[in-house]
Amino acid sequence: LRSNIFVVPEVYLQQELSRAQQDVIELDVEISALLTQIRVLKKRRELSESRCANIKSLFVPIRRLPPEVLSEIFE
């Protein structure tokens, strides 16, 4: 394709162009599917991070205080 010495038949070039265009279409479809999968994985990651934060909040010291003490503090 890079040489001017050999003349390639136009039919061959059309076939190569058609194959290359089909490759681009197929790659676009694959990229789209992967982007969708990335979005799903990012959402799952956000949910897991949120769950971690919720679980970590159960370990804070104020949670160990009895309700009576907390009510006295806020009264």
Side-chain angles (χ1 to χ4, degrees), residues 20-72:
Q21 289 172 332
Q22 186 60 37
D23 286 346
V24 169
I25 291 169
E26 289 171 5
L27 290 168
D28 282 342
V29 168
E30 190 173 345
I31 288 169
S32 178
L34 290 171
L35 289 173
T36 299
Q37 188 175 3
I38 287 171
R39 281 192 295 275
V40 168
L41 291 172
K42 282 183 176 182
K43 183 63 178 172
R44 285 179 49 197
R45 184 177 191 271
E46 287 175 14
L47 292 172
S48 290
E49 285 177 337
S50 175
R51 185 171 165 230
C52 286
N54 289 338
I55 292 169
K56 284 180 182 179
S57 73
L58 297 175
F59 293 111
V60 295
I62 197 166
R63 293 237 182 223
R64 288 185 235 134
L65 291 175
E68 300 82 27
V69 173
L70 284 174
S71 64
E72 285 295 319

